[in-house]
Amino acid sequence: MTRAGPRDRPTWLVVVLVAIAYTVGAQLAFVVFDATSIVVLFLPSGVTLSALLLCPARQWPWILLTVAVAEVTVDVSHGLHLASALGFALANTAEPLVGAVLLRRFVPGRLDLTQRRHLLAFLGCCVVAGPLVGALVGGTTIAIGQDRAWVEAFLPFWAGDATGALTVAGTVLAWRHRPPPGAAPAARWALAVLLTVAVTAVSFWPQHLPLFYLPIPLLFWFGFQQRLAITMTAGLAMTVTANIMTSVGYGPWAALQGPIAFKTATLQLFLAVAVVGACLLTVGVAERDSARSDTYAERAARQRVAAVQSLTAQLARAPTSAAIAAAVAEGRLLGELCVVALADPEDGLVHTAEHRALARAARTGRPALDGDPANGRIELGVPVTDHDGPVLGALGFEFAAGSVVDDDTIAFAQTLADLTAQALRRARLYEREVSAARQLQQALLPAYATGLPSVQVDAGYRPADLTHDVGGDWYDVFHLPGDRIGFAVGDVVGHDLAAAAAMARLQAILRVLAQSAPGPAEVLAGLDEASALIHGARMCTVGYADYQPRTRQLRYACAGHPPPLLVTAGHGEYLWDGRSMPVAVEPNSRRDAELVVPADSHLIWYTDGLVERRYESMYAGLDRLAATAGAVVREGAGDPCRTLLDRMAHTGPATDDRVVLWISFNPDR
Amino acid sequence: MRITRQHDGQTVRVALAGELDLASSGGVREHLEEVVREIRPRHLLVDMDEVSFCDSTGLEALICVRAVATEQGIDYRLVNVHGVALVTLQITGVLPLLVPEHDAG
């Protein structure tokens, strides 16, 4: 015995079902539509066809054998000769076999009658061609056995079998192959059947009042409104009812005059045409609806692809976690509102209470759906996870009441979350690196001397935004022989760890040089010599000054560095003397300048990040700094460096480090 | 940053347009050094007319190219320096180095 496939019915069950259905149908043909009546509807032809089309080919011999046995049994029990019975058995097995083989040829895969091509193939192969073969054999059998004219035997046989195949197999296949999603209420199709039976009975009542067409509008109405299964069932109900009515002597066909063969054939033809018309209408309407929903699905898919592309591009440009969260939240990717919550780096938890679905997704690590009963809005939360690792955060989406949030939507939301996770992973790595570099740079910054008797020192350092690497800015204050004090501000070109390392090296060299050099110009000349010995030394700007408190003499020199700002009595003035080129550019003579510092004045030295802005001259930045510093001094702000840095901050990203060294000269000594 | 190059006998003029900053100065430096190495013109002029911004990394790039060009005996200078770029060159003191005629004028 051949093993049955997982979805196939066992052969014995098929045999039993076919035997029962076929015998009942054949008995009906004999008892209700008996030999004397003009009705030739043969429903069992549809039973055999359905069985063949629904079962694998290896079960076909059993089905056909069952049908042959049932046919012969019924025929002989009704007094037919064995020879005739064998003839009918041959006709009723050849007919569905031809139909099924042909149909499998044209539609090799899964048969779906709601597709126009499949429906037409079914009509051509199983309703026209198969019964034609059956009628050739069966008609001949009748012509010989009952001594009738061949055409009169052939035509009714063909019409009766064709209608049986169409209505029964059509109904079975329609129910079998498009299981209605969410199953139409049984009440609906029962009502359809009852209505059809009633209308058909009424229309086939009067013999001399032609009302037989009344079921047609009803069937067509089903075609517009209902699924093919219901249209087909109604068609079957109409066919059976019309045939019963006619066989018991009601309706126009019962009263027709003329050759009996044509009367019987035209009745079946009328019924078959009505059913086929309703089927084609149903399929046409279904195709239109499905095309419409395809277009909708396509548009949604297109929008989602575009959203993913745009998000990918945005994420590629977003270097930090905050920028990523902003890109996702403002991306208008799905639904009406998007909330992004990132896990707290301290405890790894997502703290949010407003969006319940989001909170649940973050807690469980799985998508979560929630509805707000108050306004009907739908909330969807998806976790942002690092592979199988910890939850990095969660995305929350909110949809208007009545929106469809299906598996597709959830899968798409999860895709967005996965893209976000990928970007976050990269950003966290980057943030860790930058933070390590920052710490190193901070560690390299010298501890400047404090508690000096003659001056007060304040310094501030603001790194560039996270998106920019560490820079090579520094400041320094130290003791010099003879009670002098040295100040330095410098900026190594470049934004990377190498720049930070070069900064540390130069700062150390400068401190050593300053101990023995006679003045600032000589310190800078020494830096030139030192950097010539360092391979690949970078260009840097340095401002250096020394101060003798006893004489209040300040000597200063700028190697390409912006000039120091001297604020006296709330009025700022730049010291433009003592200028020369940056260090490590090329050998050049160093100059310095000197002045006696007025009582109660402040020297402010800085790096170019404080005054440089794109699209404006640095002179404008210098003017702003002078005005701001003057105001800070006049107001007597307690923390002048921080106040100055705050006020000089501008909107937009800070692309460079900013350093301020603030020396307040004490009035006395 | 847009870079265009013009050859006129012994002179190569490289015109820069855009912002000369951390993002663009590497490319500019590479391009100019290639001109110095491969073409070795007698004069190399860098047209700064359309440079809207120049920071210290841009400055370093221009100065590094000068070192290479001078080694090869090439007359290297910036022309049409004005605006923000001019101020950067002035304040850092490298203007006479990169724009010799400016010093005279």
Side-chain angles (χ1 to χ4, degrees):
Chain A
M1 191 184 146
T2 331
R3 254 181 73 85
R7 297 190 58 211
D8 298 337
R9 288 157 207 80
T11 307
W12 66 264
L13 183 63
V14 172
V15 166
V16 169
L17 286 176
V18 169
I20 293 171
Y22 193 92
T23 310
V24 168
Q27 287 288 355
L28 191 75
F30 269 101
V31 177
V32 181
F33 317 138
D34 63 12
T36 57
S37 94
I38 60 162
V39 166
V40 291
L41 176 66
F42 191 67
L43 296 172
S45 68
V47 171
T48 322
L49 183 64
S50 307
L52 293 187
L53 290 177
L54 293 179
C55 295
R58 56 188 169 70
Q59 290 181 338
W60 287 10
W62 293 102
I63 295 168
L64 295 174
L65 188 67
T66 309
V67 165
V69 170
E71 176 71 36
V72 170
T73 312
V74 173
D75 288 352
V76 171
S77 74
H78 284 277
L80 266 78
H81 288 294
L82 186 61
S84 289
L86 288 174
F88 287 134
L90 179 63
N92 285 320
T93 47
E95 174 188 308
L97 185 62
V98 168
V101 167
L102 281 177
L103 185 60
R104 286 267 164 118
R105 208 181 138 72
F106 286 107
V107 184
R110 188 180 164 86
L111 185 68
D112 177 4
L113 289 190
T114 58
Q115 289 185 32
R116 187 189 301 256
R117 201 176 67 78
H118 290 200
L119 179 64
L120 292 176
F122 170 73
L123 293 176
C125 301
C126 303
V127 178
V128 177
L132 182 68
V133 173
L136 284 173
V137 180
T140 308
T141 307
I142 295 171
I144 297 168
Q146 301 175 17
D147 195 21
R148 284 208 236 167
W150 187 83
V151 176
E152 284 187 13
F154 168 79
L155 273 184
F157 198 104
W158 189 16
D161 277 27
T163 313
L166 170 68
T167 51
V168 173
T171 303
V172 169
L173 291 172
W175 279 106
R176 168 71 176 73
H177 279 291
R178 259 290 166 92
R188 190 189 295 173
W189 75 262
L191 190 69
V193 168
L194 281 176
L195 200 59
T196 312
V197 169
V199 170
T200 312
V202 168
S203 65
F204 274 77
W205 198 279
Q207 287 198 335
H208 301 292
L209 190 61
L211 290 178
F212 59 89
Y213 46 81
L214 281 184
I216 295 182
L218 186 65
L219 277 192
F220 282 18
W221 183 67
F222 289 144
F224 267 112
Q225 299 287 324
Q226 307 293 338
R227 292 189 195 86
L228 184 64
I230 289 187
T231 313
M232 268 298 190
T233 313
L236 176 62
M238 176 193 75
T239 306
V240 173
T241 311
N243 276 295
I244 292 173
M245 293 298 288
T246 306
S247 87
V248 294
Y250 289 96
W253 268 272
L256 273 180
Q257 306 293 317
I260 193 163
F262 295 107
K263 289 199 299 189
T264 57
T266 49
L267 172 60
Q268 305 311 323
L269 190 63
F270 163 73
L271 295 170
V273 166
V275 172
V276 167
C279 281
L280 289 173
L281 185 65
T282 311
V283 168
V285 169
E287 274 180 353
R288 187 199 60 188
D289 290 351
S290 116
R292 198 177 282 163
S293 84
D294 280 358
T295 317
Y296 176 78
E298 252 172 49
R299 200 172 55 226
R302 231 179 9 249
Q303 281 170 351
R304 285 175 184 180
V305 168
V308 166
Q309 280 171 347
S310 127
L311 178 65
T312 312
Q314 297 269 338
L315 290 179
R317 280 199 294 271
T320 61
S321 305
I324 287 165
V328 175
E330 289 157 17
R332 300 194 168 281
L333 303 158
L334 185 64
E336 295 198 329
L337 179 78
C338 174
V339 183
V340 183
L342 299 183
D344 188 331
E346 300 278 316
D347 55 14
L349 293 177
V350 177
H351 301 285
T352 176
E354 290 161 42
H355 202 288
R356 283 181 314 244
L358 184 153
R360 206 162 75 231
R363 207 170 51 243
T364 60
R366 278 200 304 274
L369 261 177
D370 212 328
D372 190 335
N375 54 18
R377 293 176 74 82
I378 302 166
E379 289 181 351
L380 169 64
V382 281
V384 177
T385 49
D386 191 356
H387 295 308
D388 297 329
V391 173
L392 303 175
L395 306 187
F397 299 95
E398 213 174 292
F399 300 86
S403 306
V404 177
V405 181
D406 53 10
D407 288 350
D408 272 2
T409 314
I410 296 173
F412 176 64
Q414 192 58 59
T415 306
L416 296 178
D418 292 346
L419 280 173
T420 310
Q422 218 170 23
L424 275 179
R425 216 155 40 231
R426 172 175 51 71
R428 297 249 155 128
L429 213 61
Y430 172 78
E431 281 161 52
R432 268 202 296 276
E433 259 173 38
V434 168
S435 140
R438 282 267 154 76
Q439 281 173 17
L440 179 61
Q441 188 193 25
Q442 296 287 327
L444 292 174
L445 277 177
Y448 62 82
T450 51
L452 302 164
S454 50
V455 293
Q456 282 164 19
V457 179
D458 188 16
Y461 180 96
R462 293 267 165 93
D465 288 344
L466 205 50
T467 40
H468 298 86
D469 293 325
V470 292
D473 288 13
W474 93 87
Y475 52 84
D476 201 2
V477 179
F478 45 85
H479 290 280
L480 286 175
D483 289 336
R484 288 177 303 146
I485 303 162
F487 323 114
V489 174
D491 181 0
V492 178
V493 171
H495 287 81
D496 52 20
L497 274 181
M503 170 271 275
R505 201 161 49 208
L506 276 168
Q507 169 268 326
I509 295 170
L510 188 143
R511 264 197 186 194
V512 172
L513 288 169
Q515 298 300 318
S516 54
E522 288 78 10
V523 171
L524 294 183
L527 275 185
D528 280 332
E529 282 173 35
S531 65
L533 295 175
I534 299 168
H535 180 71
R538 299 219 186 159
M539 183 183 102
C540 73
T541 68
V542 178
Y544 174 66
D546 69 7
Y547 176 62
Q548 173 52 266
R550 277 199 301 277
T551 57
R552 305 188 70 86
Q553 187 193 40
L554 179 78
R555 298 186 296 171
Y556 65 95
C558 290
H561 204 82
L565 173 67
L566 187 69
V567 180
T568 311
H571 175 71
E573 179 197 358
Y574 287 100
L575 308 179
W576 280 105
D577 294 319
R579 301 196 64 75
S580 51
M581 281 187 219
V583 176
V585 169
E586 71 171 43
N588 64 102
S589 59
R590 296 299 179 184
R591 283 176 292 190
D592 54 26
E594 58 177 78
L595 78 155
V596 173
V597 174
D600 197 15
S601 58
H602 308 262
L603 185 80
I604 294 143
W605 228 343
Y606 49 88
T607 54
D608 57 4
L610 189 71
V611 289
E612 203 169 61
R613 285 187 202 175
R614 266 159 219 247
Y615 316 117
E616 85 169 21
S617 157
M618 206 197 280
Y619 288 125
L622 290 175
D623 288 347
R624 194 168 42 245
L625 172 62
T628 312
V632 170
V633 169
R634 284 196 301 273
E635 292 161 18
D639 193 347
C641 266
R642 173 190 265 191
T643 313
L644 183 66
L645 279 165
D646 286 346
R647 292 200 193 164
M648 288 298 285
H650 55 94
T651 53
T655 54
D656 205 354
D657 293 358
R658 288 143 292 161
V659 153
V660 172
L661 182 63
W662 188 299
I663 311 288
S664 302
F665 299 101
N666 291 346
D668 301 314
R669 295 185 56 140
Chain B
M1 171 58 67
R2 193 160 44 81
I3 306 177
T4 47
R5 198 166 75 197
Q6 230 181 318
H7 296 243
D8 179 15
Q10 288 287 311
T11 304
V12 169
R13 174 187 283 256
V14 176
L16 308 179
E19 300 178 359
L20 193 51
D21 56 11
L22 184 66
S24 63
S25 54
V28 167
R29 180 174 170 176
E30 256 170 49
H31 184 94
L32 290 172
E33 286 183 347
E34 202 178 286
V35 171
V36 167
R37 263 197 327 270
E38 313 281 328
I39 305 175
R40 290 183 162 203
R42 185 167 294 168
H43 308 281
L44 173 54
L45 307 181
V46 181
D47 192 335
M48 301 282 285
D49 192 31
E50 290 182 58
V51 173
S52 56
F53 176 77
C54 178
D55 71 359
S56 52
T57 53
L59 210 59
E60 191 197 25
L62 294 171
I63 287 167
C64 288
V65 175
R66 182 183 178 278
V68 187
T70 312
E71 239 170 56
Q72 303 273 347
I74 297 172
D75 165 39
Y76 170 89
R77 64 183 70 195
L78 310 189
V79 294
N80 293 326
V81 190
H82 55 78
V84 175
L86 177 64
V87 171
T88 307
L89 296 188
Q90 276 172 340
I91 289 179
T92 47
V94 295
L95 190 62
L97 199 68
L98 296 172
V99 194
E101 63 264 39
H102 208 280
D103 207 22

